[in-house]
Amino acid sequence: MTTLLEGCTPWPEEFVDHYWASGRWQGTTLDGLLRGSALRYGPRTALVHGATRLTYARLNRRVDRMAAGFRGRGLRPGMRVVVQLPNVPEFVVTAFALMRAGLVPVFCPVSHRASEVPELVRTAQAVGYVGPSVYRGFDHTAMAADIAARWPFLRRVFTYEEPGTESPFGGLTTDPSNCQYAPLGSLDAPPEPALPLSAGQVAFLLVADGTVLVPRTHNDFAHQATAAAALLSLTEEDVYLAALPAASDLALGSPGVIGTLAAGGTVVLAEDPDPAVCLPLVARERVTVTALTADAAADWPAAAPAASTLRLVQLTGTPPDRAAAERLGAALGCRVQQVFGTPEGVLVLTRPGDPDAAALATHGRPLSPDDQIRLVDAGGEPVPDGATGELLARGPHTVRGYYRAPDRDARSFTPDGYLRTGHLAHRTPDGDLVVTGRRDDAD
């Protein structure tokens, strides 16, 4: 079995064998999914942001050249790099380039500040940081410099500049702590031979509960993203609007950016879920699928046009709000899919063909046939049918432990590998799950 990063908990061998035998895991790396799509859909549009439009072939070339650029700056396979970028093309290019170079991106919400980012850098022992120089008034570069002065492993900072602005670092500069700074755009070098990457390796780290790191492997996340894409019948004709942060589990791979690119569709990036920003993009790019939180979706019905190209909106919130889902679906003329997901890989969804009673008022069923769900009481015993209990889960896209967090693992995972989600839920008579909120004492 492939060795994970030190500090990660592997799946037991019998589960690994079963997930391979059942076809849930197929040995494809996430960067391999992009390579495959570039071969099949080369001239088609992969990525849109403002006036920027990248074909699959061009996106793949940019990923190749940036991966070589990272390696040329001395970064080696297995090293961790914090990525804190908004929904811009550079986020997608950077994410795939780091994975292609064998590095491990740590996807940090762009909203995180000095109360969270230093802890993420310390826990991951990140050698690199990719972020804006300044974004919406916050100086990310100054924060990175402060972290570099505190932690000796952070020695590479790559700054993203918004189009039309210039980097304060015209070239490579070094500060007194010996940390190097360079524009992200300077990571451009002739492509190198592909590395022999394993799909069993950690592809990236997601953030849970502020500063806890979740290790997601290529195998498990590729299964999640492609299975979710298949559930929505995504094709190369679909256009997915990433209105929520692309660094989140939902917008990244449920099916999100990765599931859409694997299917040959087009990803449109929005930096804000506000309907004033997103609805013009829906009309201009003929968007067919998007995902919203219940809070973000609240203002969409009043601003919706008489007709839209949307066929499905994923809606996440606990508990599900049937009235809000009905208003959203009616205003946009589309189906609404209720979703409950966590960075650890738990993913419960209604199906596009479900009757309204289930589609609007429940979270549906787990994504994978190999997902296992328990509802238990405070003592860990199963609750009766219809009763509320804590949701426990394990499966081919649900991790078995956090990254370098043994104390948290002891609280959050059962001895037989179930994740204690900290969320309360019950089953309907038809077997659908309704997640109602968090346990009062949940982490």
Side-chain angles (χ1 to χ4, degrees), residues 153-343:
F153 27 81
L154 182 59
R155 287 296 172 262
R156 301 288 187 274
V157 172
F158 304 100
T159 57
Y160 160 71
E161 307 299 328
E162 295 188 44
T165 61
E166 293 184 2
S167 170
F169 308 101
L172 188 67
T173 63
T174 304
D175 70 11
S177 67
N178 202 35
C179 181
Q180 296 181 353
Y181 299 78
L184 183 61
S186 69
L187 292 172
D188 183 53
E192 299 178 351
L195 295 175
L197 303 178
S198 166
Q201 294 174 326
V202 173
F204 52 78
L205 299 167
L206 290 178
V207 175
D209 296 332
T211 58
V212 181
L213 294 176
V214 182
R216 303 300 301 269
T217 66
H218 293 276
N219 266 330
D220 86 73
F221 207 79
H223 170 54
Q224 174 182 313
T226 57
L231 185 66
L232 272 59
S233 301
L234 282 189
T235 72
E236 62 269 26
E237 301 302 323
D238 276 297
V239 179
Y240 176 83
L241 174 66
L244 299 179
S248 65
D249 183 73
L250 181 58
L252 187 62
S254 302
V257 172
I258 291 178
T260 302
L261 293 177
T266 298
V267 173
V268 178
L269 298 169
E271 296 180 53
D272 193 311
D274 189 286
V277 174
C278 291
L279 289 173
L281 291 175
V282 169
R284 189 185 79 193
E285 303 297 338
R286 304 191 62 79
V287 171
T288 59
V289 178
T290 192
L292 298 168
T293 64
D295 288 344
D299 296 330
W300 279 51
S308 83
T309 55
L310 284 162
R311 66 176 178 86
L312 185 139
V313 174
Q314 294 181 305
L315 190 62
T316 179
T318 54
D321 186 332
R322 177 167 184 159
E326 287 177 331
R327 287 194 298 272
L328 186 65
L332 296 172
C334 68
R335 295 286 291 177
V336 174
Q337 179 186 51
Q338 300 279 8
V339 180
F340 170 77
T342 72

Side-chain angles (χ1 to χ4, degrees), residues 46 49 90 95 103 147 162 167 176 200 237 256 278 296 393 403 419:
H49 177 259
E90 287 76 8
L103 298 157
I147 297 170
E162 295 188 44
S167 170
E237 301 302 323
C278 291
Y403 181 59
L419 169 69

Side-chain angles (χ1 to χ4, degrees), residues 31-420:
D31 103 280
L33 288 178
L34 179 61
R35 285 189 191 277
S37 291
L39 289 172
R40 288 190 295 273
Y41 310 111
R44 295 185 66 91
T45 301
L47 207 57
V48 176
H49 177 259
T52 300
R53 308 182 77 86
L54 296 179
T55 66
Y56 275 90
R58 188 178 174 196
L59 173 60
N60 193 58
R61 284 196 300 272
R62 286 184 60 176
V63 168
D64 265 340
R65 295 188 67 88
M66 184 179 282
F70 278 121
R71 291 165 67 179
R73 295 294 171 86
L75 302 184
R76 295 293 175 257
M79 291 179 171
R80 276 75 65 200
V81 177
V82 170
V83 178
Q84 190 179 29
L85 289 171
N87 285 13
V88 293
E90 287 76 8
F91 172 85
V92 179
V93 176
T94 299
F96 279 106
L98 287 168
M99 290 187 284
R100 188 162 290 180
L103 298 157
V104 180
V106 181
F107 294 136
C108 175
V110 74
S111 59
H112 275 21
R113 297 291 186 258
S115 58
E116 301 102 354
V117 181
E119 179 62 16
L120 294 176
V121 172
R122 185 196 65 80
T123 301
Q125 294 190 358
V127 301
Y129 171 85
V130 179
S133 288
V134 177
Y135 186 70
R136 294 185 175 176
F138 182 76
D139 193 331
H140 288 261
T141 306
M143 178 183 66
D146 180 68
I147 297 170
R150 294 167 58 187
W151 305 116
F153 27 81
L154 182 59
R155 287 296 172 262
R156 301 288 187 274
V157 172
F158 304 100
T159 57
Y160 160 71
E161 307 299 328
E162 295 188 44
T165 61
E166 293 184 2
S167 170
F169 308 101
L172 188 67
T173 63
T174 304
D175 70 11
S177 67
N178 202 35
C179 181
Q180 296 181 353
Y181 299 78
L184 183 61
S186 69
L187 292 172
D188 183 53
E192 299 178 351
L195 295 175
L197 303 178
S198 166
Q201 294 174 326
V202 173
F204 52 78
L205 299 167
L206 290 178
V207 175
D209 296 332
T211 58
V212 181
L213 294 176
V214 182
R216 303 300 301 269
T217 66
H218 293 276
N219 266 330
D220 86 73
F221 207 79
H223 170 54
Q224 174 182 313
T226 57
L231 185 66
L232 272 59
S233 301
L234 282 189
T235 72
E236 62 269 26
E237 301 302 323
D238 276 297
V239 179
Y240 176 83
L241 174 66
L244 299 179
S248 65
D249 183 73
L250 181 58
L252 187 62
S254 302
V257 172
I258 291 178
T260 302
L261 293 177
T266 298
V267 173
V268 178
L269 298 169
E271 296 180 53
D272 193 311
D274 189 286
V277 174
C278 291
L279 289 173
L281 291 175
V282 169
R284 189 185 79 193
E285 303 297 338
R286 304 191 62 79
V287 171
T288 59
V289 178
T290 192
L292 298 168
T293 64
D295 288 344
D299 296 330
W300 279 51
S308 83
T309 55
L310 284 162
R311 66 176 178 86
L312 185 139
V313 174
Q314 294 181 305
L315 190 62
T316 179
T318 54
D321 186 332
R322 177 167 184 159
E326 287 177 331
R327 287 194 298 272
L328 186 65
L332 296 172
C334 68
R335 295 286 291 177
V336 174
Q337 179 186 51
Q338 300 279 8
V339 180
F340 170 77
T342 72
E344 295 89 347
V346 180
L347 188 57
V348 180
L349 319 89
T350 56
R351 272 50 180 175
D354 282 347
D356 285 351
L360 298 173
T362 81
H363 287 107
R365 300 176 297 286
L367 172 67
S368 174
D370 281 321
D371 284 328
Q372 297 172 286
I373 297 293
R374 289 178 181 170
L375 300 178
V376 302
D377 61 21
E381 296 299 317
V383 299
D385 288 345
T388 296
E390 183 181 5
L391 175 65
L392 274 58
R394 70 182 184 186
H397 51 88
T398 301
V399 300
R400 290 299 185 109
Y402 295 103
Y403 181 59
R404 291 180 172 167
D407 292 341
R408 178 67 179 254
D409 286 350
R411 300 193 304 272
S412 299
F413 292 86
T414 66
D416 53 354
Y418 280 84
L419 169 69
R420 297 184 175 101

